Amino acid sequence: MKRRTFLTNIAAGSAATLVAAPAIAQSQPTVKWRMATSWPKSLDTIYGSAVAMCQRIGELTEGKFEVMPFAGGEIVGATQVFDATKNKTVECSHTLTSFFTGKNPAYAFDGGIAFGTNARQQNAWYYYGGGKALIQELFGKENMVSFPCGNTGVQMGGWYRKEIKTVEDLQGLKMRIAGLGGRILSKLGAVPQQIAPGDIYPSLERGTIDAAEWIGPYDDEKLGFNKVAKYYYTPGWWEGSAQITTLTNKEAFDALPPQFKAAFETAATEQNLMMLANYDTKNPEALRRLLAAGVELRAFPQPVMEAVYKATLETFAELAASNPDFKKIYEPWKTFLNESNSWMRVADFRLDTFRFSAPKWP
């Protein structure tokens, strides 16, 4: 009898749980948000990642929390999503916060900084190295809560209508470049241009600019840059890690039920992994296609790399001296990066240096 009573109680408890689960979901309010992105719909990698994130939020909340993504220009322009989120024109956005270093250069630590962390190091710094608290404090001043939601990995050095053989070739070069990379290049005579993604191709085609950086082979091929510029340079030293961020309006985020907040952060964190995997899969194939089509791959000469590195250190020292937000993050960030580099030189660098120069697997 005791055994029968026990099994009966278990069955009753299971039934109660099955009844309670939908009841809990039904008790949640229905919330609808709009996500303004900085990307055209043609980019199935980065815009597609925003779509996947929104779909995942819906799945995790059984459709109760609906976030609708919009391409750049559908609600606000690609570079206007920051202000739109801050002012609650939209509840959230999907962007590269390095676009907004003109507002505050400290945002570069979130998006990607010249000669800084790679994607693995960025995650380590953000999640376990003290970066999260610093970044949340930074965007909190603008009435926003931020979440990493993707990474392109190290980017390419861009498309050029002429070869870059010496440092002098940077003099007067009109280049579309986002973030602090443009400020650094200006020290060497270049003329940086901040141009929205959809306007890069026509600007390069018309000769309004001489060069443009975007992301990497797959997305660059999608936007057709190889049709209007012959030389493709590596590496994108200004973004060894381009972290994509979803910014949320703080009042809107704070008003969410705890389960919806958790779903939003979970979906963002998933895409922080998935986007990088997607790029690492698609870029090799795209690069082969570009080279087969006649693109000339070039590496920046060593003197150019040394010059921009020197200019980078000078720029960061100036920013730390003039901007308290930049200095507050820069000092602990430098300590973390130096420690991380010391480990990666021991392990990853040694292995990668050998295997990248070794013969192909038979």
Side-chain angles (χ1 to χ4, degrees), residues 24 43 47 52 70 72 79 84 93 102 122 126 130 145 157 167 179 199 210 242 247 279 281 297-298 311 331 341-342:
I24 291 172
L43 298 182
Y47 180 77
F70 292 87
T79 57
S93 52
Q122 179 71 7
Y126 183 87
V145 182
V167 177
D199 297 326
D210 306 306
L247 298 171
Y279 273 113
T281 301
L297 185 63
R298 295 285 189 272
E331 295 303 326
N341 285 347
S342 68

Side-chain angles (χ1 to χ4, degrees), residues 122-145:
Q122 179 71 7
N123 281 338
W125 174 71
Y126 183 87
Y127 291 116
Y128 292 101
K132 182 176 182 178
L134 292 167
I135 294 298
Q136 292 293 4
E137 179 184 358
L138 182 66
F139 287 111
K141 295 179 180 180
E142 299 297 327
N143 193 38
M144 288 186 283
V145 182

Side-chain angles (χ1 to χ4, degrees), residues 209-231:
I209 55 176
D210 306 306
E213 61 83 28
W214 180 231
I215 293 178
Y218 186 76
D219 285 348
D220 292 0
E221 180 188 36
K222 283 265 187 181
L223 296 181
F225 298 144
N226 57 301
K227 299 174 184 177
V228 288
K230 181 179 181 180
Y231 301 103

Side-chain angles (χ1 to χ4, degrees), residues 301-357:
Q302 185 68 16
V304 172
M305 292 296 288
E306 291 173 356
V308 293
Y309 184 70
K310 181 175 181 290
T312 296
L313 298 182
E314 292 173 356
T315 299
F316 292 171
E318 293 166 2
L319 290 171
S322 62
N323 184 294
D325 288 335
F326 192 94
K327 181 177 181 180
K328 183 173 183 177
I329 300 176
Y330 186 45
E331 295 303 326
W333 178 88
K334 279 193 301 182
T335 300
F336 175 89
L337 184 61
N338 287 332
E339 286 294 313
S340 180
N341 285 347
S342 68
W343 158 241
M344 288 205 162
R345 277 194 294 267
V346 170
D348 292 64
F349 175 75
R350 297 290 180 183
L351 178 59
D352 289 347
T353 300
F354 176 82
R355 66 189 183 90
F356 290 160
S357 60

Side-chain angles (χ1 to χ4, degrees), residues 92-307:
C92 62
S93 52
H94 191 280
T95 189
L96 175 72
T97 52
S98 295
F99 290 158
F100 312 109
T101 53
K103 296 177 179 292
N104 191 333
Y107 297 152
F109 291 103
D110 180 68
I113 203 160
F115 295 101
T117 56
N118 62 24
R120 274 178 58 193
Q121 290 173 310
Q122 179 71 7
N123 281 338
W125 174 71
Y126 183 87
Y127 291 116
Y128 292 101
K132 182 176 182 178
L134 292 167
I135 294 298
Q136 292 293 4
E137 179 184 358
L138 182 66
F139 287 111
K141 295 179 180 180
E142 299 297 327
N143 193 38
M144 288 186 283
V145 182
S146 68
F147 299 94
C149 62
N151 204 307
T152 70
V154 62
Q155 299 196 350
M156 289 292 286
W159 298 86
Y160 297 75
R161 297 165 66 93
K162 66 176 185 178
E163 289 188 85
I164 304 298
K165 297 180 179 179
T166 68
V167 177
E168 287 69 32
D169 288 330
L170 298 175
Q171 285 284 341
L173 183 81
K174 292 176 291 183
M175 182 175 181
R176 184 275 172 193
I177 183 169
L180 296 182
R183 180 166 178 164
I184 294 165
L185 280 172
S186 67
K187 281 183 169 289
L188 302 173
V191 184
Q193 310 284 318
Q194 178 79 298
I195 300 173
D199 297 326
I200 300 174
Y201 181 95
S203 298
L204 198 56
E205 182 181 37
R206 292 193 301 265
T208 306
I209 55 176
D210 306 306
E213 61 83 28
W214 180 231
I215 293 178
Y218 186 76
D219 285 348
D220 292 0
E221 180 188 36
K222 283 265 187 181
L223 296 181
F225 298 144
N226 57 301
K227 299 174 184 177
V228 288
K230 181 179 181 180
Y231 301 103
Y232 199 24
Y233 272 83
T234 184
W237 49 265
W238 48 85
E239 280 176 332
S241 164
Q243 178 180 282
I244 306 305
T245 297
T246 181
L247 298 171
T248 67
N249 178 274
K250 189 175 187 305
E251 293 172 5
F253 187 77
D254 287 347
L256 291 175
Q259 293 91 337
F260 289 8
K261 291 179 181 178
F264 194 96
E265 185 169 8
T266 296
T269 304
E270 285 181 357
Q271 285 305 310
N272 200 21
L273 167 68
M274 300 301 288
M275 184 190 291
L276 183 60
N278 197 13
Y279 273 113
D280 284 344
T281 301
K282 291 179 174 176
N283 277 332
E285 300 168 357
L287 182 58
R288 282 196 295 271
R289 290 193 298 268
L290 289 170
L291 295 179
V295 168
E296 296 195 25
L297 185 63
R298 295 285 189 272
F300 289 120
Q302 185 68 16
V304 172
M305 292 296 288
E306 291 173 356

